[in-house]
Amino acid sequence: MGSFLPSPVVWIHLLVLAVSVSCLSRSDLFDYGVQFGDQVLESGTDISQEITLDQSLYFFDGRFDTVYVNTNGFVSTAKPLAESEYLGNMPASFSIIAAFLGDLDTSDGIGKVYVRQDTSPDILQKIAEQISQAFPNEDEVEPTHAVIVTWEKVAPQGAPERGDGSIKQRNTFQLVLTSMEMSTYAILLYPKDDIQFFSTHIEGANEPVEAGFSKGGPYYRITTDDEDSIKDLTELTNSGRPGLWVYEIGSSAPDSSITPGQVVTPEEGVPEPSPPHQTRSQPIYSQTCSNNRQKCSHFADCRDYASGYCCHCKPGFYGNGKDCVADGKPQRMNGKVSGRLYVGNMTSPVEFANNDLHSYVVANDGRAYVAISSIPDSIGPSLQPLASLGGVIGWAFALEQPGYENGFSIIGGVFTRQAEVTFQPGGEKLTISQEFKGIDEHDHLVVTTQLEGQIPQVPPSATVEIDRYSEIYQYSSNLITSSSTREYTVSLPDGFVHTRSYLWRQSISFQGCPHNDAALSVPSSQQLSVDQVFVMYDATDQLIRYAMSNKIGGTPQQNPCFTGRHGCDTNAACRPGQGTQFTCECATGFTGDGRACYDVDECRETPGICGAHAICNNQPGTFRCECIEGYQFTSDGHTCIQVDHPIDHCQRGTHDCDVPERARCTYTVRSSYICTCLPGFSGDGRACQDIDECQTAHCHRDAICYNTQGSFTCQCRPGFHGDGFRCTSESEREKTRCERHREEALAATSGGHFFHPRPSVGQYVPTCDSYGAYEPTQCHAGTGQCWCVDRDGQEIPGSRTGPGSFEHGVDPPIVGPTPSPEVSPLAPGTNLLFAQSGKIEHIPLDGNNMRKEETKTLLHLPDRVVIAVAFDCEEKMVYWSDITQPSISRASMQGGQPTAIITTDIQSPEGIAIDHMSRNMYWTDSILNRIEVATLAGRHRRVLFDSDLTNPRAIVADPANGRLYWTDWNRDSPKIEMSNMDGTDRTILVREDLQLPNGLTFDPYSRQLCWADAGAHKVECIDQYTHLRRKVLDEIQYPFAIISYGRNLYYTDWRREAVVAVDRVAVKEVDEFLPQKRSRTYGITTSYPHCPQGENYCTRGNGGCSHLCLPRPGGFTCRCPDVGDGSCVESDRSF
């Protein structure tokens, strides 16, 4: 077991570096999860998944097209063998890239293992930067492919839940394998706060995990057997960032090996080279007791030999030194049995899995009892002849004759057993595979059993008797074999008796200690004698039971200690004397006269036996020490030391920064943090004062500045037009089409004079609204006729009516908002609002530009995940959805406490649309798969759609025209749909060429519906009337939400953790805002100081409806909530 270890000089340099640079956190890992296209390994332990690579990788001097990802913290280039072949036995016989090699477990459903192949430019760029940092002398670092493996919240296998309610320790770490044209690199990432355990239970002892690279012979080991070296993975580095490790692990060159990165100090930027790899060509052995004592049993001594160390059980105990049990103490065995068996002439097999096996051995007389549960009637009777299924435990704990040793005394509790049974006279064959995993924390031997093959049928009512038999066990280095012929009789109810037999062959493989010559003193053969064999199948409880008496040695002696007829307590050892004399001696951990033994409560009799900061748990014959909360065992397994867990005071709220409305707390490293004032405030972060921006003349000279807490607003003076940062005189503003039309009409009737013009009779003069757009209803002053026009002033056919009024006295239809088609007016004080984790921030807009330096937090919502954001321009309210405690809430922009308005019957609200005209809101729920509507106060809830929805996400409204749009990112059939806002006329608008339509926005000025597709990585728009579709931008990363404003589209991006501005006219990205604290950005919307002009049929008096007024083109519908009070009246009105 040779291994290469970094020299002490390198470790000292790494330690110095670790002090000055912050360690990794989970946010520094590469993106992972199913939302990024990762596959998830099956839950369990020792689970492998084969990955066929899109590009070959090099490992040492080999080239591979396939790798295997394993739960136990490694990637291999060949299919892994059983974990007993490599856990605690490195280097393995196959190639391993070990990120955190140990006995790990994800079977509880909390831990997961993710893997994906990635060639995206941003990932490869990040990889290139990390390799360049570790290898600064490399000129061309151009990765072309990456395999990203993430072990998230994995637990150590078999770790018991603590009785004090503490959470089981879990680890999260990552391995990135990246290939270039002629070489491959490995990047290992260990987040400081997410590495919580450093050893796992292997072969009955806590073994430190391992990290390194093994070719199946040569082993470059990063860690040592010292547990502190595992902790150093998070605090040291070879790349300049503690917790980040980079290695070149192979290339096309002959005899390629492992090359570690060079440490770069950020202060100096000078590489500190590791010693040349060739100087460490000799393996460094540390196979001495000083480094491996913890591998021995607590009841064993460790002894050094010339070539290594061995473990030896202490007096009063027996075993192989790694597993030791007290003399005379009964032993239990637990396990699982699975099988696929053909019975008799059956054409289909009987299959069963994970059936419980329990066994009990009275060690001082060699009696063994075995029971297997949940055995169906179809095979139960036919399993009766196979008493040897549990007979191996009889051999392991057989009563020893003088000069002989049972199986456990020689090989301990970790071994594998393969047996083949050939039945006569039919020739049926059965194979038995058993893996014994050692003594667990409950002092039980653990075994898994697999049965495969065919067995003769035994009728259900028959009984089976097995004659006594003997069997010769042949012993050699790490292998034991035996064979025998065994006879049994089958007795039928009619008295007929069949005598049958089977040939039994078995081999037992184990790992002995090669350093102790005394271990070779075991006789080369020993005889196991088995008698008093009892078998029975209990059809009522579906149990099969076996019992037998076992002795190991030559001719049985007459002394009762060797015959088993001594009468000692089951918890006592029989000590032979002269002739037939003997004494009974209670096993260690028990007291009494040997005929009756009682458990010793070590915890009560020796209160300080476990030492400081530990509690003692008494168990039959022994006791167990456990560290109290906040402490953990050192590598010796006995001493409890305090756990140094850094405290994030920012997250806990135990910092002394100013209130969140004025300051930001930022966690740095260990338990440190810094306080900084938010934009718009000044101070040291612990006391922040508002900055009066109006004193520094941010606004236009023709605007008025209004200072607010942490911000300010600008508003043009009367007679000027603009957003307050740019103001233009009304007389200088370019006239709109309607204003030019009106001016020309007036000029034509006044002979070119513009002073108090009056139109002549018969001349039509258009009327324009305050924005200069055509009023939707135009009338002829001379004839008294009125008609409807579109936004270009063109008459809508069929809308002209007689003098003075519309037909039937109906109000004119609303077509709005209707500003100029050439200009999208930007109201002063417009902001972008976007969600980022537990807060909502706002970015002031200056025309189409983001004033990024003035960004500040609007709402702090700690411990929340805000998804959707919407704004009501009428009451200046911001609305948002939260998925941690599913709800929809709102808060006033002018101040006040947030109010939750939807809290029940809601699970995953992902999109919100506001109808400020009708005073309603609509939302999607991606778990309940439905779309609902309610008033803005959360009253009168009604489900609009609950069918043909799989993953509804974004939703937007066009209140002026009574239309509703939403996305459904169902991966099998993504789509964008639309309907009227009352739920009628539902139709699919877009279905083709969609993958993951996340964001959606509607621009009322251009009538364009635009969306961001995170699967197709592009932004597109469509005209709902002409269905003309165009691409705005492609090759984007992972957009989540999108909003239209002016000529720009603004979207949030998960991977860039940014707000991105896109000029849809120039068809290009024009700006990007990166929040100071990087995390995923979610919903985005705009806030206006004034609502766009216009109304719909529900604007005035709720349309006369008693509850919900829902608009649609050409009318509206009065609808009742799903839970009514009997006073609601439904009706439809069309115009």
Side-chain angles (χ1 to χ4, degrees):
M1 288 179 59
S3 60
F4 301 119
L5 298 174
S7 72
V9 175
V10 175
W11 284 114
I12 293 171
H13 182 81
L14 298 179
L15 182 60
V16 173
L17 174 64
V19 175
S20 60
V21 185
S22 63
C23 299
L24 289 187
S25 66
R26 190 182 299 191
S27 62
D28 294 313
L29 298 181
F30 288 81
D31 289 334
Y32 67 91
V34 292
Q35 67 270 34
F36 296 105
D38 286 9
Q39 301 177 56
V40 184
L41 262 65
E42 177 185 349
S43 296
T45 182
D46 198 21
I47 302 296
S48 294
Q49 179 167 324
E50 181 179 0
I51 305 296
T52 301
L53 299 176
D54 297 332
Q55 179 178 330
S56 301
L57 65 77
Y58 294 92
F59 188 49
F60 283 86
D61 53 0
R63 183 173 179 176
F64 303 92
D65 297 316
T66 302
V67 295
Y68 295 82
V69 178
N70 190 280
T71 311
N72 286 338
F74 71 89
V75 172
S76 64
T77 59
K79 187 174 182 179
L81 302 178
E83 64 182 17
S84 60
E85 298 294 321
Y86 58 87
L87 290 181
N89 293 312
M90 290 293 287
S93 60
F94 56 99
S95 297
I96 284 183
I97 302 168
F100 202 89
L101 180 65
D103 197 2
L104 308 181
D105 186 17
T106 63
S107 57
D108 58 9
I110 298 176
K112 296 185 184 303
V113 182
Y114 297 93
V115 58
R116 78 172 183 275
Q117 300 185 65
D118 203 325
T119 56
S120 57
D122 57 316
I123 292 293
L124 297 180
Q125 177 62 33
K126 182 176 179 179
I127 290 172
E129 292 171 357
Q130 293 181 350
I131 294 175
S132 297
Q133 177 75 9
F135 294 90
N137 296 324
E138 289 289 336
D139 294 328
E140 296 181 1
V141 178
E142 297 179 353
T144 55
H145 176 264
V147 179
I148 302 175
V149 188
T150 309
W151 289 264
E152 181 189 52
K153 297 181 180 178
V154 294
Q157 164 67 8
E161 293 289 349
R162 293 180 56 175
D164 58 4
S166 299
I167 299 174
K168 183 186 289 186
Q169 292 178 318
R170 298 181 182 278
N171 286 357
T172 297
F173 52 96
Q174 198 169 64
L175 167 66
V176 179
L177 300 175
T178 184
S179 295
M180 303 183 199
E181 184 178 356
M182 306 300 288
S183 61
T184 296
Y185 289 77
I187 302 175
L188 300 105
L189 302 97
Y190 303 97
K192 168 76 172 172
D193 294 335
D194 291 280
I195 301 296
Q196 300 174 354
F197 65 88
F198 309 97
S199 60
T200 60
H201 202 71
I202 300 173
E203 298 182 355
N206 278 326
E207 300 283 356
V209 300
E210 296 184 43
F213 309 95
S214 170
K215 186 183 177 181
Y219 184 24
Y220 184 100
R221 189 170 178 183
I222 302 172
T223 59
T224 69
D225 287 330
D226 186 354
E227 197 167 276
D228 287 340
S229 74
I230 317 300
K231 298 177 183 178
D232 289 340
L233 290 174
T234 67
E235 299 178 350
L236 304 183
T237 181
N238 68 359
S239 72
R241 179 77 186 276
L244 180 65
W245 301 78
V246 183
Y247 296 86
E248 184 182 23
I249 61 172
S251 72
S252 59
D255 301 321
S256 293
S257 57
I258 307 300
T259 304
Q262 296 174 312
V263 178
V264 177
T265 58
E267 293 83 357
E268 302 173 6
V270 178
E272 177 76 15
S274 300
H277 187 265
Q278 57 268 25
T279 64
R280 294 179 289 165
S281 59
Q282 294 299 319
I284 298 176
Y285 290 96
S286 56
Q287 302 299 313
T288 63
C289 288
S290 61
N291 296 316
N292 294 279
R293 191 178 304 277
Q294 73 279 3
K295 293 184 178 180
C296 298
S297 167
H298 291 304
F299 308 113
D301 295 320
C302 185
R303 298 177 196 168
D304 284 320
Y305 296 89
S307 58
Y309 73 96
C310 287
C311 303
H312 299 274
C313 294
K314 296 178 179 179
F317 296 85
Y318 66 100
N320 69 340
K322 292 191 174 181
D323 285 321
C324 299
V325 296
D327 289 341
K329 182 182 177 182
Q331 183 61 46
R332 295 183 183 273
M333 179 174 75
N334 294 328
K336 299 291 184 180
V337 181
S338 302
R340 188 173 186 270
L341 298 178
Y342 291 88
V343 179
N345 296 320
M346 293 174 56
T347 56
S348 57
V350 178
E351 298 186 44
F352 51 96
N354 295 323
N355 294 30
D356 288 328
L357 179 150
H358 297 285
S359 180
Y360 180 80
V361 178
V362 181
N364 61 19
D365 67 8
R367 284 180 292 134
Y369 304 90
V370 180
I372 304 173
S373 62
S374 303
I375 298 297
D377 298 345
S378 54
I379 60 170
S382 302
L383 285 177
Q384 292 180 95
L386 292 172
S388 51
L389 257 180
V392 66
I393 194 172
W395 163 78
F397 295 96
L399 185 62
E400 297 173 338
Q401 301 299 302
Y404 295 89
E405 294 182 75
N406 60 28
F408 192 85
S409 295
I410 299 170
I411 68 174
V414 179
F415 56 92
T416 59
R417 179 204 200 197
Q418 295 285 335
E420 182 182 90
V421 186
T422 304
F423 293 88
Q424 301 297 339
E428 298 92 344
K429 288 186 181 294
L430 170 72
T431 59
I432 303 172
S433 301
Q434 292 182 298
E435 182 178 0
F436 291 78
K437 301 181 179 181
I439 304 292
D440 67 8
E441 66 272 14
H442 305 293
D443 289 329
H444 296 170
L445 185 61
V446 180
V447 61
T448 59
T449 301
Q450 182 71 38
L451 308 179
E452 191 86 24
Q454 185 178 16
I455 57 177
Q457 186 173 24
V458 174
S461 55
T463 60
V464 174
E465 294 183 5
I466 300 176
D467 294 339
R468 66 172 60 193
Y469 62 90
S470 60
E471 189 173 355
I472 301 298
Y473 281 71
Q474 305 288 341
Y475 294 78
S476 61
S477 176
N478 295 336
L479 181 67
I480 302 171
T481 60
S482 72
S483 62
S484 64
T485 299
R486 303 179 187 177
E487 291 189 346
Y488 64 96
T489 58
V490 179
S491 301
L492 301 178
D494 59 6
F496 192 81
V497 177
H498 297 276
T499 299
R500 298 284 186 265
S501 67
Y502 57 79
L503 177 63
W504 171 272
R505 294 188 180 92
Q506 72 172 346
S507 62
I508 297 172
S509 303
F510 65 99
Q511 183 65 50
C513 186
H515 312 299
N516 178 17
D517 292 338
L520 303 177
S521 63
V522 176
S524 60
S525 64
Q526 296 190 106
Q527 177 176 294
L528 176 71
S529 301
V530 181
D531 59 11
Q532 301 180 39
V533 183
F534 169 80
V535 298
M536 184 188 74
Y537 175 68
D538 184 341
T540 302
D541 295 330
Q542 292 196 320
L543 277 173
I544 189 162
R545 304 177 189 273
Y546 307 106
M548 63 209 73
S549 246
N550 306 270
K551 297 180 179 65
I552 194 81
T555 304
Q557 302 294 310
Q558 296 305 310
N559 189 289
C561 288
F562 305 128
T563 63
R565 297 185 176 93
H566 45 65
C568 297
D569 190 272
T570 56
N571 292 302
C574 182
R575 305 298 187 192
Q578 293 293 326
T580 59
Q581 299 298 310
F582 68 95
T583 58
C584 298
E585 181 181 312
C586 291
T588 301
F590 294 88
T591 185
D593 61 3
R595 300 281 181 172
C597 298
Y598 307 95
D599 176 53
V600 175
D601 189 343
E602 294 90 348
C603 300
R604 185 180 63 184
E605 294 188 1
T606 313
I609 193 170
C610 286
H613 313 301
I615 57 175
C616 180
N617 288 326
N618 186 60
Q619 297 178 355
T622 186
F623 64 96
R624 191 170 299 278
C625 299
E626 295 180 3
C627 295
I628 63 176
E629 183 177 5
Y631 289 80
Q632 64 183 16
F633 285 123
T634 58
S635 58
D636 65 6
H638 302 288
T639 308
C640 294
I641 59 172
Q642 190 167 12
V643 180
D644 181 20
H645 282 312
I647 300 174
D648 186 345
H649 292 283
C650 297
Q651 186 177 18
R652 283 194 176 188
T654 53
H655 58 82
D656 59 352
C657 301
D658 205 341
V659 295
E661 291 77 16
R662 294 193 291 267
R664 176 184 293 110
C665 178
T666 304
Y667 174 72
T668 53
V669 65
R670 301 191 185 276
S671 298
S672 302
Y673 60 92
I674 57 174
C675 301
T676 53
C677 294
L678 296 175
F681 296 91
S682 64
D684 61 0
R686 288 170 170 76
C688 301
Q689 297 79 34
D690 174 57
I691 298 173
D692 187 353
E693 293 88 351
C694 295
Q695 299 298 321
T696 55
H698 285 278
C699 301
H700 192 269
R701 63 177 179 274
D702 294 316
I704 301 173
C705 180
Y706 299 95
N707 187 55
T708 60
Q709 281 293 307
S711 186
F712 67 99
T713 59
C714 300
Q715 190 164 354
C716 294
R717 299 178 185 276
F720 292 87
H721 175 82
D723 61 4
F725 297 93
R726 296 177 183 174
C727 299
T728 306
S729 172
E730 291 289 353
S731 61
E732 298 175 7
R733 180 170 63 86
E734 180 182 357
K735 292 181 173 59
T736 66
R737 178 179 298 183
C738 180
E739 290 170 338
R740 293 195 300 271
H741 185 179
R742 178 178 177 82
E743 189 175 272
E744 292 168 358
L746 291 173
T749 61
S750 60
H753 300 287
F754 291 93
F755 300 100
H756 306 292
R758 295 185 62 184
S760 60
V761 177
Q763 175 66 42
Y764 159 63
V765 178
T767 56
C768 308
D769 64 15
S770 59
Y771 285 92
Y774 286 97
E775 288 281 3
T777 304
Q778 298 288 326
C779 295
H780 194 293
T783 65
Q785 290 184 328
C786 297
W787 61 91
C788 297
V789 297
D790 59 21
R791 61 186 62 209
D792 295 326
Q794 299 299 311
E795 180 178 349
I796 297 176
S799 64
R800 186 177 290 265
T801 62
S805 66
F806 279 83
E807 294 176 349
H808 311 294
V810 177
D811 292 336
I814 304 300
V815 184
T818 55
S820 163
E822 293 88 5
V823 179
S824 298
L826 305 180
T830 300
N831 293 272
L832 288 176
L833 308 181
F834 70 93
Q836 185 189 24
S837 190
K839 60 183 176 180
I840 299 175
E841 300 201 21
H842 73 83
I843 309 172
L845 292 179
D846 181 1
N848 289 307
N849 301 319
M850 294 187 288
R851 300 207 302 271
K852 295 181 288 187
E853 70 282 357
E854 298 174 24
T855 300
K856 74 166 193 172
T857 300
L858 174 68
L859 279 172
H860 284 271
L861 303 163
D863 303 323
R864 298 288 187 268
V865 177
V866 179
I867 300 297
V869 180
F871 180 70
D872 173 26
C873 58
E874 191 72 36
E875 294 184 341
K876 306 299 185 291
M877 286 273 194
V878 60
Y879 290 72
W880 67 92
S881 66
D882 170 27
I883 61 171
T884 54
Q885 298 178 2
S887 61
I888 297 176
S889 305
R890 66 178 180 178
S892 172
M893 294 278 283
Q894 276 77 40
Q897 291 298 316
T899 303
I901 54 176
I902 301 291
T903 58
T904 61
D905 193 22
I906 187 170
Q907 292 192 29
S908 184
E910 295 192 9
I912 303 176
I914 300 295
D915 176 1
H916 68 279
M917 297 179 181
S918 308
R919 314 305 297 151
N920 294 325
M921 67 174 175
Y922 299 77
W923 69 92
T924 61
D925 192 314
S926 66
I927 292 182
L928 298 177
N929 291 329
R930 65 191 188 194
I931 296 174
E932 291 191 64
V933 62
T935 67
L936 289 180
R939 302 175 60 224
H940 307 325
R941 289 177 60 175
R942 180 184 178 93
V943 175
L944 275 190
F945 304 110
D946 59 2
S947 63
D948 295 326
L949 292 171
T950 303
N951 296 107
R953 175 162 287 170
I955 186 168
V956 294
D958 175 15
N961 294 301
R963 303 291 281 175
L964 194 66
Y965 308 88
W966 65 91
T967 67
D968 187 329
W969 57 271
N970 173 13
R971 291 189 182 273
D972 295 328
S973 182
K975 58 187 175 180
I976 299 174
E977 294 189 88
M978 69 176 180
S979 74
N980 298 332
M981 295 178 74
D982 63 355
T984 58
D985 296 340
R986 179 181 178 182
T987 184
I988 296 176
L989 183 61
V990 183
R991 171 170 277 168
E992 302 299 325
D993 194 25
L994 288 179
Q995 293 188 35
L996 190 59
N998 258 353
L1000 190 67
T1001 184
F1002 178 75
D1003 179 18
Y1005 305 115
S1006 64
R1007 301 189 309 182
Q1008 294 283 302
L1009 183 74
C1010 301
W1011 66 91
D1013 192 318
H1017 305 293
K1018 58 185 176 182
V1019 175
E1020 294 185 87
C1021 296
I1022 193 171
D1023 187 306
Q1024 59 159 322
Y1025 298 105
T1026 65
H1027 285 212
L1028 290 176
R1029 179 175 173 180
R1030 70 185 183 94
K1031 180 177 67 179
V1032 177
L1033 196 66
D1034 60 4
E1035 296 184 359
I1036 61 177
Q1037 295 190 30
Y1038 203 94
F1040 185 81
I1042 192 169
I1043 191 68
S1044 170
Y1045 182 74
R1047 64 184 290 154
N1048 283 356
L1049 292 168
Y1050 300 89
Y1051 71 87
T1052 56
D1053 192 293
W1054 268 16
R1055 288 190 179 172
R1056 295 170 65 172
E1057 298 176 342
V1059 176
V1060 184
V1062 176
D1063 187 325
R1064 57 181 168 179
V1065 178
V1067 193
K1068 65 178 182 179
E1069 180 181 320
V1070 292
D1071 202 358
E1072 175 189 55
F1073 171 70
L1074 298 172
Q1076 181 176 359
K1077 187 173 183 181
R1078 303 293 296 279
S1079 63
R1080 286 178 177 169
T1081 49
Y1082 290 89
I1084 189 169
T1085 191
T1086 49
S1087 66
Y1088 302 91
H1090 306 290
C1091 289
Q1093 190 172 9
E1095 56 184 25
N1096 61 28
Y1097 291 104
C1098 295
T1099 302
R1100 301 177 185 177
N1102 199 39
C1105 298
S1106 61
H1107 289 72
L1108 290 172
C1109 181
L1110 306 179
R1112 53 183 169 81
F1116 65 94
T1117 304
C1118 296
R1119 284 286 179 258
C1120 296
D1122 290 333
V1123 180
D1125 57 7
S1127 63
C1128 181
V1129 177
E1130 292 194 344
S1131 63
D1132 297 340
R1133 294 192 63 186
S1134 299
F1135 303 102

